[in-house]
Amino acid sequence: QVHLVQSGAEVKKPGASVKVSCKTSGDTFTGYYIHWVRQAPGQGLEWMGWINPDSGTTNYAQKFQGRVTMTRDTSISTAYMELRSLKCDDTALYYCARVGYMEWFDPWGQGTLVTVSS
Amino acid sequence: QSALTQPASVSASPGQSITISCTGTSSDVGGYNYVSWYQQHPGKAPKVMIYDVSHRPSGVSNRFSGSKSGNTASLTISGLQAEDEADYYCSSYRSSSTLDVVFGGGTKLTVL
């Protein structure tokens, strides 16, 4: 069974950066895309982008281009999402999810709460 | 990127059926048969309930079904049960070249 385990909660000040990790187990890391989705408190799901762990190719939602970088380390089956120039409204639960080519999001990580506050 | 349009809330009594709509455009919902639906209980990660418009993953109750007509996809839950009370989100691919994804704004289902 595939599991995605994310890093722990973070508290950051405005203008700082955060890097969230997503470690996969139970299946081939390079066989699926890893997507990142965030959810602000009381709000809906917002797609941020994906990384192809096999090639390292990325695609970011227009809203986050220039501010987000997704990377991976295949030796430890871990994907990363770094968000820079944090603002208070970046406070959200950040999820990673495994996705086949043009397929559905399954499974999801447990989520990482990022709080941005001065 | 505009989100797909879902009703903010729906409610019904146990045993009844409900349908949640998800309206997009010919560039997303109408253009691909890759609509999926997710259930999210408070404090939990989303769980896929329907994929590729109308397919159910193993383990998902057959009370859940999906369909699509034009630019609108729908999720139907029949024989409502208390545990169905949750938030529901649709999603679709928006571009086959860059694999952009878009989510709906979410629908809160209340089982009365």
mmCIF file of all heavy atoms in Angstrom, chain A residues 33 35 37 39 43-45 47 50 59 61 95 99-106 108-109, chain B residues 1 32 34 36 38 40 44-46 48 51-52 89 93 96 98-101 103-105:
data_model
loop_
_atom_site.group_PDB
_atom_site.id
_atom_site.type_symbol
_atom_site.label_atom_id
_atom_site.label_comp_id
_atom_site.label_asym_id
_atom_site.label_seq_id
_atom_site.Cartn_x
_atom_site.Cartn_y
_atom_site.Cartn_z
ATOM 1 N N TYR A 33 3.384 11.045 -10.854
ATOM 2 C CA TYR A 33 3.603 12.451 -10.563
ATOM 3 C C TYR A 33 3.286 12.723 -9.091
ATOM 4 O O TYR A 33 2.468 12.026 -8.489
ATOM 5 C CB TYR A 33 2.684 13.334 -11.417
ATOM 6 C CG TYR A 33 2.984 13.338 -12.891
ATOM 7 C CD1 TYR A 33 2.771 12.211 -13.677
ATOM 8 C CD2 TYR A 33 3.461 14.487 -13.512
ATOM 9 C CE1 TYR A 33 3.038 12.217 -15.038
ATOM 10 C CE2 TYR A 33 3.717 14.515 -14.877
ATOM 11 C CZ TYR A 33 3.506 13.376 -15.633
ATOM 12 O OH TYR A 33 3.768 13.393 -16.983
ATOM 13 N N HIS A 35 1.729 15.825 -7.044
ATOM 14 C CA HIS A 35 1.079 17.130 -7.113
ATOM 15 C C HIS A 35 1.035 17.748 -5.716
ATOM 16 O O HIS A 35 1.008 17.034 -4.715
ATOM 17 C CB HIS A 35 -0.358 17.000 -7.629
ATOM 18 C CG HIS A 35 -0.471 16.684 -9.081
ATOM 19 N ND1 HIS A 35 -1.201 17.482 -9.955
ATOM 20 C CD2 HIS A 35 0.029 15.665 -9.818
ATOM 21 C CE1 HIS A 35 -1.143 16.950 -11.167
ATOM 22 N NE2 HIS A 35 -0.399 15.850 -11.114
ATOM 23 N N VAL A 37 -1.199 20.554 -3.400
ATOM 24 C CA VAL A 37 -2.497 21.226 -3.280
ATOM 25 C C VAL A 37 -2.525 21.892 -1.911
ATOM 26 O O VAL A 37 -2.078 21.301 -0.930
ATOM 27 C CB VAL A 37 -3.649 20.201 -3.385
ATOM 28 C CG1 VAL A 37 -5.006 20.884 -3.178
ATOM 29 C CG2 VAL A 37 -3.616 19.482 -4.725
ATOM 30 N N GLN A 39 -4.819 24.263 1.106
ATOM 31 C CA GLN A 39 -6.158 24.564 1.592
ATOM 32 C C GLN A 39 -6.044 25.564 2.738
ATOM 33 O O GLN A 39 -5.589 25.217 3.824
ATOM 34 C CB GLN A 39 -6.853 23.282 2.054
ATOM 35 C CG GLN A 39 -8.303 23.469 2.453
ATOM 36 C CD GLN A 39 -9.007 22.145 2.689
ATOM 37 O OE1 GLN A 39 -8.423 21.174 3.184
ATOM 38 N NE2 GLN A 39 -10.277 22.075 2.315
ATOM 39 N N GLN A 43 -11.307 27.127 3.740
ATOM 40 C CA GLN A 43 -11.454 27.346 2.297
ATOM 41 C C GLN A 43 -11.349 26.035 1.517
ATOM 42 O O GLN A 43 -11.177 24.964 2.100
ATOM 43 C CB GLN A 43 -10.381 28.337 1.807
ATOM 44 C CG GLN A 43 -10.413 29.687 2.502
ATOM 45 C CD GLN A 43 -11.755 30.377 2.328
ATOM 46 O OE1 GLN A 43 -12.241 30.535 1.192
ATOM 47 N NE2 GLN A 43 -12.362 30.804 3.422
ATOM 48 N N GLY A 44 -11.429 26.153 0.194
ATOM 49 C CA GLY A 44 -11.386 24.970 -0.659
ATOM 50 C C GLY A 44 -9.973 24.580 -1.056
ATOM 51 O O GLY A 44 -8.985 25.151 -0.596
ATOM 52 N N LEU A 45 -9.903 23.591 -1.929
ATOM 53 C CA LEU A 45 -8.628 23.075 -2.408
ATOM 54 C C LEU A 45 -8.106 23.940 -3.553
ATOM 55 O O LEU A 45 -8.864 24.344 -4.428
ATOM 56 C CB LEU A 45 -8.794 21.631 -2.882
ATOM 57 C CG LEU A 45 -9.356 20.652 -1.856
ATOM 58 C CD1 LEU A 45 -9.609 19.288 -2.507
ATOM 59 C CD2 LEU A 45 -8.420 20.515 -0.673
ATOM 60 N N TRP A 47 -4.978 23.940 -6.406
ATOM 61 C CA TRP A 47 -3.876 23.214 -7.029
ATOM 62 C C TRP A 47 -2.689 24.143 -7.230
ATOM 63 O O TRP A 47 -2.829 25.262 -7.715
ATOM 64 C CB TRP A 47 -4.346 22.661 -8.375
ATOM 65 C CG TRP A 47 -3.300 21.931 -9.136
ATOM 66 C CD1 TRP A 47 -2.818 20.674 -8.867
ATOM 67 C CD2 TRP A 47 -2.609 22.394 -10.295
ATOM 68 N NE1 TRP A 47 -1.861 20.336 -9.789
ATOM 69 C CE2 TRP A 47 -1.711 21.366 -10.688
ATOM 70 C CE3 TRP A 47 -2.653 23.559 -11.050
ATOM 71 C CZ2 TRP A 47 -0.872 21.479 -11.793
ATOM 72 C CZ3 TRP A 47 -1.821 23.683 -12.165
ATOM 73 C CH2 TRP A 47 -0.940 22.642 -12.512
ATOM 74 N N TRP A 50 2.842 20.349 -10.129
ATOM 75 C CA TRP A 50 3.323 18.967 -10.012
ATOM 76 C C TRP A 50 4.783 18.850 -10.401
ATOM 77 O O TRP A 50 5.341 19.735 -11.050
ATOM 78 C CB TRP A 50 2.486 18.018 -10.867
ATOM 79 C CG TRP A 50 2.340 18.325 -12.347
ATOM 80 C CD1 TRP A 50 1.228 18.825 -12.971
ATOM 81 C CD2 TRP A 50 3.316 18.129 -13.398
ATOM 82 N NE1 TRP A 50 1.448 18.960 -14.324
ATOM 83 C CE2 TRP A 50 2.712 18.533 -14.629
ATOM 84 C CE3 TRP A 50 4.625 17.657 -13.447
ATOM 85 C CZ2 TRP A 50 3.361 18.485 -15.844
ATOM 86 C CZ3 TRP A 50 5.287 17.600 -14.667
ATOM 87 C CH2 TRP A 50 4.656 18.019 -15.851
ATOM 88 N N ASN A 59 5.563 21.601 -13.447
ATOM 89 C CA ASN A 59 4.552 22.487 -14.018
ATOM 90 C C ASN A 59 3.854 23.162 -12.859
ATOM 91 O O ASN A 59 3.332 22.481 -11.974
ATOM 92 C CB ASN A 59 3.535 21.707 -14.849
ATOM 93 C CG ASN A 59 2.447 22.612 -15.413
ATOM 94 O OD1 ASN A 59 2.733 23.701 -15.892
ATOM 95 N ND2 ASN A 59 1.202 22.176 -15.337
ATOM 96 N N ALA A 61 1.097 26.096 -11.278
ATOM 97 C CA ALA A 61 -0.057 26.939 -11.539
ATOM 98 C C ALA A 61 0.414 28.371 -11.737
ATOM 99 O O ALA A 61 1.364 28.829 -11.076
ATOM 100 C CB ALA A 61 -1.045 26.856 -10.373
ATOM 101 N N TYR A 95 -0.867 19.933 1.009
ATOM 102 C CA TYR A 95 -0.926 18.496 0.779
ATOM 103 C C TYR A 95 -0.090 18.107 -0.441
ATOM 104 O O TYR A 95 -0.059 18.838 -1.434
ATOM 105 C CB TYR A 95 -2.354 18.051 0.466
ATOM 106 C CG TYR A 95 -3.343 18.100 1.598
ATOM 107 C CD1 TYR A 95 -4.284 19.129 1.675
ATOM 108 C CD2 TYR A 95 -3.391 17.091 2.568
ATOM 109 C CE1 TYR A 95 -5.228 19.158 2.684
ATOM 110 C CE2 TYR A 95 -4.337 17.117 3.579
ATOM 111 C CZ TYR A 95 -5.243 18.149 3.629
ATOM 112 O OH TYR A 95 -6.187 18.172 4.639
ATOM 113 N N VAL A 99 -0.227 11.029 -8.283
ATOM 114 C CA VAL A 99 -1.151 11.088 -9.414
ATOM 115 C C VAL A 99 -0.521 10.413 -10.628
ATOM 116 O O VAL A 99 0.592 10.758 -11.014
ATOM 117 C CB VAL A 99 -1.500 12.540 -9.785
ATOM 118 C CG1 VAL A 99 -2.540 12.582 -10.900
ATOM 119 C CG2 VAL A 99 -1.988 13.315 -8.562
ATOM 120 N N GLY A 100 -1.234 9.469 -11.224
ATOM 121 C CA GLY A 100 -0.792 8.907 -12.480
ATOM 122 C C GLY A 100 -1.011 9.909 -13.603
ATOM 123 O O GLY A 100 -1.653 10.949 -13.408
ATOM 124 N N TYR A 101 -0.490 9.605 -14.790
ATOM 125 C CA TYR A 101 -0.626 10.532 -15.910
ATOM 126 C C TYR A 101 -2.102 10.792 -16.211
ATOM 127 O O TYR A 101 -2.843 9.874 -16.541
ATOM 128 C CB TYR A 101 0.069 9.974 -17.151
ATOM 129 C CG TYR A 101 -0.040 10.883 -18.349
ATOM 130 C CD1 TYR A 101 0.764 12.011 -18.459
ATOM 131 C CD2 TYR A 101 -0.963 10.621 -19.355
ATOM 132 C CE1 TYR A 101 0.656 12.860 -19.554
ATOM 133 C CE2 TYR A 101 -1.079 11.457 -20.445
ATOM 134 C CZ TYR A 101 -0.269 12.578 -20.543
ATOM 135 O OH TYR A 101 -0.382 13.419 -21.616
ATOM 136 N N MET A 102 -2.531 12.016 -16.050
ATOM 137 C CA MET A 102 -3.922 12.437 -16.253
ATOM 138 C C MET A 102 -4.888 11.582 -15.432
ATOM 139 O O MET A 102 -5.997 11.271 -15.887
ATOM 140 C CB MET A 102 -4.295 12.440 -17.730
ATOM 141 C CG MET A 102 -3.492 13.454 -18.522
ATOM 142 S SD MET A 102 -4.244 13.935 -20.091
ATOM 143 C CE MET A 102 -5.465 15.132 -19.539
ATOM 144 N N GLU A 103 -4.445 11.211 -14.244
ATOM 145 C CA GLU A 103 -5.307 10.408 -13.385
ATOM 146 C C GLU A 103 -5.722 11.196 -12.137
ATOM 147 O O GLU A 103 -5.535 12.399 -12.070
ATOM 148 C CB GLU A 103 -4.592 9.113 -13.000
ATOM 149 C CG GLU A 103 -4.427 8.170 -14.202
ATOM 150 C CD GLU A 103 -3.843 6.834 -13.814
ATOM 151 O OE1 GLU A 103 -3.259 6.713 -12.718
ATOM 152 O OE2 GLU A 103 -3.974 5.880 -14.616
ATOM 153 N N TRP A 104 -6.287 10.495 -11.190
ATOM 154 C CA TRP A 104 -6.835 11.115 -10.008
ATOM 155 C C TRP A 104 -5.812 11.162 -8.881
ATOM 156 O O TRP A 104 -4.763 10.525 -8.936
ATOM 157 C CB TRP A 104 -8.077 10.328 -9.568
ATOM 158 C CG TRP A 104 -7.812 8.867 -9.429
ATOM 159 C CD1 TRP A 104 -7.567 8.171 -8.275
ATOM 160 C CD2 TRP A 104 -7.730 7.900 -10.482
ATOM 161 N NE1 TRP A 104 -7.328 6.853 -8.556
ATOM 162 C CE2 TRP A 104 -7.430 6.640 -9.888
ATOM 163 C CE3 TRP A 104 -7.871 7.965 -11.876
ATOM 164 C CZ2 TRP A 104 -7.289 5.482 -10.648
ATOM 165 C CZ3 TRP A 104 -7.729 6.810 -12.619
ATOM 166 C CH2 TRP A 104 -7.434 5.596 -12.011
ATOM 167 N N PHE A 105 -6.125 11.953 -7.857
ATOM 168 C CA PHE A 105 -5.235 12.179 -6.729
ATOM 169 C C PHE A 105 -5.458 11.083 -5.690
ATOM 170 O O PHE A 105 -6.456 11.082 -4.979
ATOM 171 C CB PHE A 105 -5.517 13.540 -6.084
ATOM 172 C CG PHE A 105 -5.117 14.711 -6.940
ATOM 173 C CD1 PHE A 105 -5.649 14.901 -8.206
ATOM 174 C CD2 PHE A 105 -4.205 15.643 -6.478
ATOM 175 C CE1 PHE A 105 -5.279 15.981 -8.989
ATOM 176 C CE2 PHE A 105 -3.832 16.737 -7.249
ATOM 177 C CZ PHE A 105 -4.370 16.899 -8.511
ATOM 178 N N ASP A 106 -4.535 10.169 -5.583
ATOM 179 C CA ASP A 106 -4.659 9.071 -4.628
ATOM 180 C C ASP A 106 -3.365 8.300 -4.513
ATOM 181 O O ASP A 106 -2.854 7.821 -5.529
ATOM 182 C CB ASP A 106 -5.773 8.117 -5.073
ATOM 183 C CG ASP A 106 -5.983 6.974 -4.093
ATOM 184 O OD1 ASP A 106 -6.269 7.266 -2.905
ATOM 185 O OD2 ASP A 106 -5.854 5.815 -4.503
ATOM 186 N N TRP A 108 -3.239 10.757 -0.731
ATOM 187 C CA TRP A 108 -2.799 12.077 -0.301
ATOM 188 C C TRP A 108 -1.901 11.931 0.931
ATOM 189 O O TRP A 108 -2.057 10.987 1.704
ATOM 190 C CB TRP A 108 -3.996 12.953 0.077
ATOM 191 C CG TRP A 108 -4.939 13.257 -1.042
ATOM 192 C CD1 TRP A 108 -5.694 12.371 -1.758
ATOM 193 C CD2 TRP A 108 -5.276 14.550 -1.552
ATOM 194 N NE1 TRP A 108 -6.459 13.029 -2.689
ATOM 195 C CE2 TRP A 108 -6.234 14.368 -2.581
ATOM 196 C CE3 TRP A 108 -4.875 15.853 -1.239
ATOM 197 C CZ2 TRP A 108 -6.787 15.437 -3.308
ATOM 198 C CZ3 TRP A 108 -5.422 16.912 -1.946
ATOM 199 C CH2 TRP A 108 -6.364 16.707 -2.974
ATOM 200 N N GLY A 109 -1.017 12.899 1.106
ATOM 201 C CA GLY A 109 -0.287 12.965 2.352
ATOM 202 C C GLY A 109 -1.219 13.477 3.456
ATOM 203 O O GLY A 109 -2.372 13.839 3.192
ATOM 204 N N GLN B 1 -6.509 31.436 -12.807
ATOM 205 C CA GLN B 1 -7.337 30.287 -13.168
ATOM 206 C C GLN B 1 -8.605 30.266 -12.329
ATOM 207 O O GLN B 1 -8.552 30.198 -11.100
ATOM 208 C CB GLN B 1 -6.563 28.993 -12.907
ATOM 209 C CG GLN B 1 -5.456 28.731 -13.893
ATOM 210 C CD GLN B 1 -4.712 27.441 -13.588
ATOM 211 O OE1 GLN B 1 -4.504 27.129 -12.426
ATOM 212 N NE2 GLN B 1 -4.321 26.716 -14.603
ATOM 213 N N TYR B 32 -12.433 16.996 -21.401
ATOM 214 C CA TYR B 32 -11.751 15.768 -20.987
ATOM 215 C C TYR B 32 -12.669 14.894 -20.144
ATOM 216 O O TYR B 32 -13.482 15.402 -19.386
ATOM 217 C CB TYR B 32 -10.510 16.095 -20.140
ATOM 218 C CG TYR B 32 -9.528 17.031 -20.797
ATOM 219 C CD1 TYR B 32 -9.534 18.390 -20.513
ATOM 220 C CD2 TYR B 32 -8.594 16.545 -21.708
ATOM 221 C CE1 TYR B 32 -8.640 19.245 -21.115
ATOM 222 C CE2 TYR B 32 -7.694 17.411 -22.316
ATOM 223 C CZ TYR B 32 -7.731 18.751 -22.018
ATOM 224 O OH TYR B 32 -6.841 19.602 -22.626
ATOM 225 N N TYR B 34 -11.792 13.360 -17.567
ATOM 226 C CA TYR B 34 -10.900 13.165 -16.428
ATOM 227 C C TYR B 34 -11.388 13.951 -15.220
ATOM 228 O O TYR B 34 -10.593 14.516 -14.481
ATOM 229 C CB TYR B 34 -9.475 13.583 -16.796
ATOM 230 C CG TYR B 34 -8.846 12.723 -17.864
ATOM 231 C CD1 TYR B 34 -8.397 13.287 -19.060
ATOM 232 C CD2 TYR B 34 -8.706 11.352 -17.683
ATOM 233 C CE1 TYR B 34 -7.813 12.498 -20.033
ATOM 234 C CE2 TYR B 34 -8.130 10.560 -18.649
ATOM 235 C CZ TYR B 34 -7.686 11.137 -19.834
ATOM 236 O OH TYR B 34 -7.118 10.357 -20.802
ATOM 237 N N SER B 36 -12.773 14.088 -11.512
ATOM 238 C CA SER B 36 -12.793 13.256 -10.311
ATOM 239 C C SER B 36 -13.464 14.019 -9.176
ATOM 240 O O SER B 36 -13.574 15.250 -9.217
ATOM 241 C CB SER B 36 -11.382 12.803 -9.918
ATOM 242 O OG SER B 36 -10.492 13.892 -9.865
ATOM 243 N N TYR B 38 -13.867 14.270 -4.800
ATOM 244 C CA TYR B 38 -13.188 13.983 -3.543
ATOM 245 C C TYR B 38 -14.106 14.309 -2.376
ATOM 246 O O TYR B 38 -14.811 15.323 -2.392
ATOM 247 C CB TYR B 38 -11.881 14.777 -3.439
ATOM 248 C CG TYR B 38 -10.940 14.444 -4.558
ATOM 249 C CD1 TYR B 38 -11.011 15.129 -5.763
ATOM 250 C CD2 TYR B 38 -10.040 13.392 -4.440
ATOM 251 C CE1 TYR B 38 -10.184 14.794 -6.829
ATOM 252 C CE2 TYR B 38 -9.214 13.044 -5.493
ATOM 253 C CZ TYR B 38 -9.304 13.753 -6.687
ATOM 254 O OH TYR B 38 -8.502 13.400 -7.741
ATOM 255 N N GLN B 40 -14.113 15.068 1.706
ATOM 256 C CA GLN B 40 -13.216 15.492 2.775
ATOM 257 C C GLN B 40 -13.990 15.711 4.069
ATOM 258 O O GLN B 40 -14.845 16.585 4.156
ATOM 259 C CB GLN B 40 -12.466 16.772 2.404
ATOM 260 C CG GLN B 40 -11.409 17.164 3.437
ATOM 261 C CD GLN B 40 -10.668 18.444 3.093
ATOM 262 O OE1 GLN B 40 -11.238 19.370 2.543
ATOM 263 N NE2 GLN B 40 -9.367 18.486 3.418
ATOM 264 N N LYS B 44 -9.408 15.889 7.948
ATOM 265 C CA LYS B 44 -8.866 14.757 7.191
ATOM 266 C C LYS B 44 -8.440 15.185 5.798
ATOM 267 O O LYS B 44 -8.895 16.189 5.274
ATOM 268 C CB LYS B 44 -9.919 13.649 7.073
ATOM 269 C CG LYS B 44 -10.407 13.095 8.394
ATOM 270 C CD LYS B 44 -9.313 12.345 9.127
ATOM 271 C CE LYS B 44 -9.855 11.633 10.349
ATOM 272 N NZ LYS B 44 -8.779 10.933 11.096
ATOM 273 N N ALA B 45 -7.550 14.390 5.202
ATOM 274 C CA ALA B 45 -7.180 14.628 3.817
ATOM 275 C C ALA B 45 -8.320 14.186 2.901
ATOM 276 O O ALA B 45 -9.116 13.317 3.266
ATOM 277 C CB ALA B 45 -5.909 13.854 3.479
ATOM 278 N N PRO B 46 -8.404 14.780 1.723
ATOM 279 C CA PRO B 46 -9.439 14.363 0.766
ATOM 280 C C PRO B 46 -9.260 12.900 0.370
ATOM 281 O O PRO B 46 -8.167 12.347 0.417
ATOM 282 C CB PRO B 46 -9.202 15.284 -0.432
ATOM 283 C CG PRO B 46 -8.510 16.476 0.132
ATOM 284 C CD PRO B 46 -7.645 15.930 1.227
ATOM 285 N N VAL B 48 -10.563 10.138 -2.789
ATOM 286 C CA VAL B 48 -11.205 10.055 -4.089
ATOM 287 C C VAL B 48 -12.426 9.147 -4.003
ATOM 288 O O VAL B 48 -12.366 8.049 -3.454
ATOM 289 C CB VAL B 48 -10.216 9.577 -5.179
ATOM 290 C CG1 VAL B 48 -9.685 8.179 -4.898
ATOM 291 C CG2 VAL B 48 -10.848 9.646 -6.562
ATOM 292 N N TYR B 51 -13.553 8.742 -10.208
ATOM 293 C CA TYR B 51 -12.522 9.210 -11.132
ATOM 294 C C TYR B 51 -12.980 8.966 -12.571
ATOM 295 O O TYR B 51 -13.875 8.157 -12.816
ATOM 296 C CB TYR B 51 -11.175 8.539 -10.854
ATOM 297 C CG TYR B 51 -11.146 7.045 -11.125
ATOM 298 C CD1 TYR B 51 -10.784 6.543 -12.374
ATOM 299 C CD2 TYR B 51 -11.486 6.127 -10.122
ATOM 300 C CE1 TYR B 51 -10.766 5.182 -12.621
ATOM 301 C CE2 TYR B 51 -11.469 4.767 -10.360
ATOM 302 C CZ TYR B 51 -11.100 4.301 -11.607
ATOM 303 O OH TYR B 51 -11.088 2.944 -11.841
ATOM 304 N N ASP B 52 -12.351 9.663 -13.480
ATOM 305 C CA ASP B 52 -12.708 9.535 -14.906
ATOM 306 C C ASP B 52 -14.221 9.622 -15.110
ATOM 307 O O ASP B 52 -14.819 8.792 -15.797
ATOM 308 C CB ASP B 52 -12.164 8.227 -15.484
ATOM 309 C CG ASP B 52 -10.649 8.193 -15.554
ATOM 310 O OD1 ASP B 52 -10.025 9.224 -15.242
ATOM 311 O OD2 ASP B 52 -10.094 7.142 -15.896
ATOM 312 N N TYR B 89 -15.447 17.934 -3.399
ATOM 313 C CA TYR B 89 -14.765 18.751 -4.398
ATOM 314 C C TYR B 89 -14.673 17.984 -5.715
ATOM 315 O O TYR B 89 -14.350 16.799 -5.726
ATOM 316 C CB TYR B 89 -13.346 19.085 -3.941
ATOM 317 C CG TYR B 89 -13.278 19.943 -2.708
ATOM 318 C CD1 TYR B 89 -13.209 19.366 -1.439
ATOM 319 C CD2 TYR B 89 -13.281 21.329 -2.793
ATOM 320 C CE1 TYR B 89 -13.146 20.147 -0.294
ATOM 321 C CE2 TYR B 89 -13.214 22.122 -1.647
ATOM 322 C CZ TYR B 89 -13.153 21.520 -0.413
ATOM 323 O OH TYR B 89 -13.092 22.303 0.711
ATOM 324 N N TYR B 93 -8.767 18.106 -15.359
ATOM 325 C CA TYR B 93 -7.599 18.609 -16.046
ATOM 326 C C TYR B 93 -8.059 19.748 -16.940
ATOM 327 O O TYR B 93 -9.166 19.745 -17.482
ATOM 328 C CB TYR B 93 -6.909 17.500 -16.838
ATOM 329 C CG TYR B 93 -6.105 16.602 -15.944
ATOM 330 C CD1 TYR B 93 -6.678 15.484 -15.348
ATOM 331 C CD2 TYR B 93 -4.779 16.887 -15.645
ATOM 332 C CE1 TYR B 93 -5.948 14.673 -14.490
ATOM 333 C CE2 TYR B 93 -4.040 16.082 -14.787
ATOM 334 C CZ TYR B 93 -4.641 14.986 -14.216
ATOM 335 O OH TYR B 93 -3.909 14.190 -13.365
ATOM 336 N N SER B 96 -4.052 19.343 -21.716
ATOM 337 C CA SER B 96 -3.391 18.051 -21.878
ATOM 338 C C SER B 96 -1.902 18.213 -22.150
ATOM 339 O O SER B 96 -1.145 17.274 -22.001
ATOM 340 C CB SER B 96 -4.026 17.268 -23.024
ATOM 341 O OG SER B 96 -3.873 17.981 -24.244
ATOM 342 N N THR B 98 0.136 20.657 -20.611
ATOM 343 C CA THR B 98 0.853 20.979 -19.379
ATOM 344 C C THR B 98 0.270 20.266 -18.160
ATOM 345 O O THR B 98 0.813 20.368 -17.074
ATOM 346 C CB THR B 98 0.836 22.495 -19.116
ATOM 347 O OG1 THR B 98 -0.526 22.935 -19.092
ATOM 348 C CG2 THR B 98 1.598 23.239 -20.208
ATOM 349 N N LEU B 99 -0.812 19.540 -18.339
ATOM 350 C CA LEU B 99 -1.461 18.814 -17.242
ATOM 351 C C LEU B 99 -1.844 19.743 -16.099
ATOM 352 O O LEU B 99 -1.644 19.422 -14.921
ATOM 353 C CB LEU B 99 -0.573 17.681 -16.740
ATOM 354 C CG LEU B 99 -0.175 16.611 -17.754
ATOM 355 C CD1 LEU B 99 0.622 15.501 -17.076
ATOM 356 C CD2 LEU B 99 -1.395 16.009 -18.436
ATOM 357 N N ASP B 100 -2.381 20.917 -16.412
ATOM 358 C CA ASP B 100 -2.918 21.802 -15.382
ATOM 359 C C ASP B 100 -4.168 21.160 -14.798
ATOM 360 O O ASP B 100 -4.936 20.495 -15.495
ATOM 361 C CB ASP B 100 -3.293 23.158 -15.974
ATOM 362 C CG ASP B 100 -2.081 24.010 -16.280
ATOM 363 O OD1 ASP B 100 -0.943 23.545 -16.061
ATOM 364 O OD2 ASP B 100 -2.278 25.143 -16.744
ATOM 365 N N VAL B 101 -4.387 21.395 -13.520
ATOM 366 C CA VAL B 101 -5.543 20.852 -12.815
ATOM 367 C C VAL B 101 -6.319 22.007 -12.190
ATOM 368 O O VAL B 101 -5.736 23.014 -11.768
ATOM 369 C CB VAL B 101 -5.102 19.868 -11.718
ATOM 370 C CG1 VAL B 101 -6.284 19.428 -10.863
ATOM 371 C CG2 VAL B 101 -4.412 18.654 -12.341
ATOM 372 N N PHE B 103 -9.691 22.719 -9.395
ATOM 373 C CA PHE B 103 -10.667 22.178 -8.452
ATOM 374 C C PHE B 103 -11.912 23.050 -8.423
ATOM 375 O O PHE B 103 -11.868 24.252 -8.743
ATOM 376 C CB PHE B 103 -10.080 22.140 -7.036
ATOM 377 C CG PHE B 103 -9.131 21.009 -6.790
ATOM 378 C CD1 PHE B 103 -7.761 21.198 -6.922
ATOM 379 C CD2 PHE B 103 -9.588 19.751 -6.430
ATOM 380 C CE1 PHE B 103 -6.871 20.158 -6.699
ATOM 381 C CE2 PHE B 103 -8.706 18.706 -6.202
ATOM 382 C CZ PHE B 103 -7.344 18.908 -6.340
ATOM 383 N N GLY B 104 -13.017 22.457 -8.018
ATOM 384 C CA GLY B 104 -14.208 23.215 -7.723
ATOM 385 C C GLY B 104 -14.068 23.873 -6.363
ATOM 386 O O GLY B 104 -13.172 23.544 -5.593
ATOM 387 N N GLY B 105 -14.984 24.808 -6.088
ATOM 388 C CA GLY B 105 -14.914 25.535 -4.826
ATOM 389 C C GLY B 105 -15.354 24.727 -3.614
ATOM 390 O O GLY B 105 -15.135 25.143 -2.479
#
